[in-house]
Amino acid sequence: MSANAPAGGEWPGRIMSGEMAEQPGMLARILERGAPVVRETAERIAARNPRFVLLTARGTSDNAALYAKYLLEITMGLPCGLASMSTTTAYGAKPDLRDVLVVTVSQSGGSPDLVASTRAAREAGAVTLAVTNNPDSPLAAVSEYHIDILAGPEKALPATKTYTASLLSLYLFVEGLRGGDGSAAAVLPDLAETVLARKDEVRSLAARYRFAERMVITSRGYGYPTAKEAALKLMETSYIPALSYSGADLLHGPLAMVDNISPVIAVVPDGRGGEALQPVLDRLRGRGADLFVVGPKAQVAAASAGFVLPTAGVREEVQPVLEILPLQMLAYEVTIARGQDPDAPRALAKVTETR
């Protein structure tokens, strides 16, 4: 809730704030009710021995799909790609997708290009799985399998709880594919509640970036989808241009634009991704960057500012569910501080229909 929000009635950001607050309970619901269904679906798909995975999505769901790509490639050694839907929807290409698993991630399951490309993939011989927040959607109808992420209705235009619900559902799905038990996710509901309780801390950080004209967000490994999603949230709510880069890509040219004025947000996983990002952090500090770190205490202590995540003992592959939470709050608080309403960004609709 905004510091200046009235005790009752309508106020800017009320819906987004409420939906962010739902996330701990939602994560617990997925683990309790969704996990058995996801495991059964995963086991049925695993029995068909897909040789390749093609992930299809747009917007926030595209960042969740990228997370699934890291999971599948790292934990299963299964080659993955991100689909270019226009190859089928605009150009009419007919790829051979026999023995390929096509996973389409969509909050609404209603965008025509997602439905059309999934239908085309199934006709081309693919095993098709829809991961949505709407089991009655057109996308679910054209897919052979479906996973309901159980986020509940999401009314604010910026997606928050459907993103973390997608992450957890995809994690449980990959665990089911490889015969894992998914137990690493059990800590997430309580830790998410701990993170979301630190509103005042994030509000103070937001005051630091209220007048930012540009932001750069970077990470590596499992943290990279978080960087991309944080950039999207900042752009669609506060209208601040936010550029997201893999730490490796940042060093291949874009580092030249980093100065001591424009903030750089680094998502530092507690694990191998954070280790791989360390040379990038060193270079950023060497350039005098205003460095904001989301990650372990030691990394935050060496930055200009930051948010310490409670990731000690948490498996790196589930940390993205926690990493995005302070960045959702930051986007919200920066937007409120700039006098805008994060519930209703200009020029956006909840269901984006692309072709």
Side-chain angles (χ1 to χ4, degrees):
M1 180 183 294
S2 171
N4 300 317
E10 303 289 327
W11 42 275
R14 173 183 59 86
I15 302 174
M16 182 179 177
S17 176
E19 289 174 350
M20 286 191 294
E22 290 178 30
Q23 290 176 102
M26 176 204 71
L27 296 171
R29 179 168 66 247
I30 294 169
L31 290 171
E32 180 180 351
R33 289 174 39 198
V37 179
V38 173
R39 174 177 289 278
E40 180 182 351
T41 301
E43 289 173 349
R44 291 169 66 189
I45 291 175
R48 298 177 67 172
N49 296 312
R51 60 181 171 84
F52 187 88
V53 180
L54 196 59
L55 295 147
T56 307
R58 296 286 192 199
T60 284
S61 294
D62 201 27
N63 299 326
L66 180 59
Y67 165 73
K69 183 176 187 292
Y70 276 91
L71 276 174
L72 287 160
E73 290 182 343
I74 294 170
T75 66
M76 296 190 66
L78 196 58
C80 300
L82 299 176
S84 300
M85 281 173 278
S86 62
T87 60
T88 54
T89 61
Y91 291 92
K94 297 185 182 298
D96 180 358
L97 297 178
R98 288 171 294 178
D99 301 322
V100 175
L101 170 61
V102 172
V103 180
T104 307
V105 186
S106 171
Q107 298 154 44
S108 68
S111 186
D113 58 349
L114 294 171
V115 175
S117 63
T118 301
R119 181 186 294 112
R122 190 170 182 180
E123 291 171 354
V127 178
T128 53
L129 168 67
V131 179
T132 81
N133 197 37
N134 183 2
D136 298 320
S137 64
L139 178 59
V142 301
S143 300
E144 187 174 357
Y145 299 97
H146 177 258
I147 289 173
D148 184 352
I149 64 173
L150 300 176
E154 187 173 62
K155 297 181 180 179
L157 287 179
T160 54
K161 64 178 183 174
T162 52
Y163 179 67
T164 50
S166 296
L167 295 185
L168 179 53
S169 298
L170 287 165
Y171 168 74
L172 293 171
F173 171 68
V174 175
E175 281 289 282
L177 279 182
R178 70 188 194 96
D181 61 10
S183 59
V187 299
L188 293 176
D190 288 344
L191 291 178
E193 187 168 6
T194 298
V195 170
L196 289 168
R198 294 160 61 186
K199 297 184 183 73
D200 291 344
E201 185 179 339
V202 176
R203 190 171 298 127
S204 298
L205 292 167
R208 179 186 181 97
Y209 303 114
R210 176 182 178 183
F211 298 108
E213 296 183 359
R214 181 187 69 199
M215 288 187 179
V216 174
I217 308 177
T218 188
S219 188
R220 292 204 67 179
Y222 287 115
Y224 181 44
T226 306
K228 291 177 66 67
E229 174 61 12
L232 178 59
K233 284 294 154 284
L234 283 161
M235 287 189 286
E236 69 183 354
T237 57
S238 69
Y239 317 141
I240 296 173
L243 308 173
S244 59
Y245 296 98
S246 157
D249 286 331
L250 185 63
L251 296 183
H252 282 266
L255 183 68
M257 70 177 172
V258 172
D259 53 30
N260 61 356
I261 298 174
S262 299
V264 178
I265 298 176
V267 180
V268 184
D270 192 355
R272 294 187 182 183
E275 293 168 6
L277 191 63
Q278 191 58 53
V280 183
L281 300 176
D282 294 340
R283 290 285 297 277
L284 289 168
R285 283 190 286 264
R287 290 188 59 82
D290 180 357
L291 182 60
F292 176 108
V293 165
V294 175
K297 185 176 181 180
Q299 295 288 353
V300 172
S304 306
F307 187 99
V308 177
L309 282 177
T311 52
V314 179
R315 293 282 295 272
E316 186 177 356
E317 57 263 40
V318 299
Q319 290 177 27
V321 177
L322 302 175
E323 291 166 352
I324 193 58
L325 300 178
L327 294 167
Q328 289 176 347
M329 292 193 289
L330 181 69
Y332 171 88
E333 292 293 351
V334 167
T335 303
I336 293 293
R338 289 164 71 97
Q340 294 150 200
D341 185 357
D343 284 343
R346 64 193 180 204
L348 297 182
K350 187 60 181 171
V351 179
T352 303
E353 296 190 356
T354 47
R355 295 185 183 273

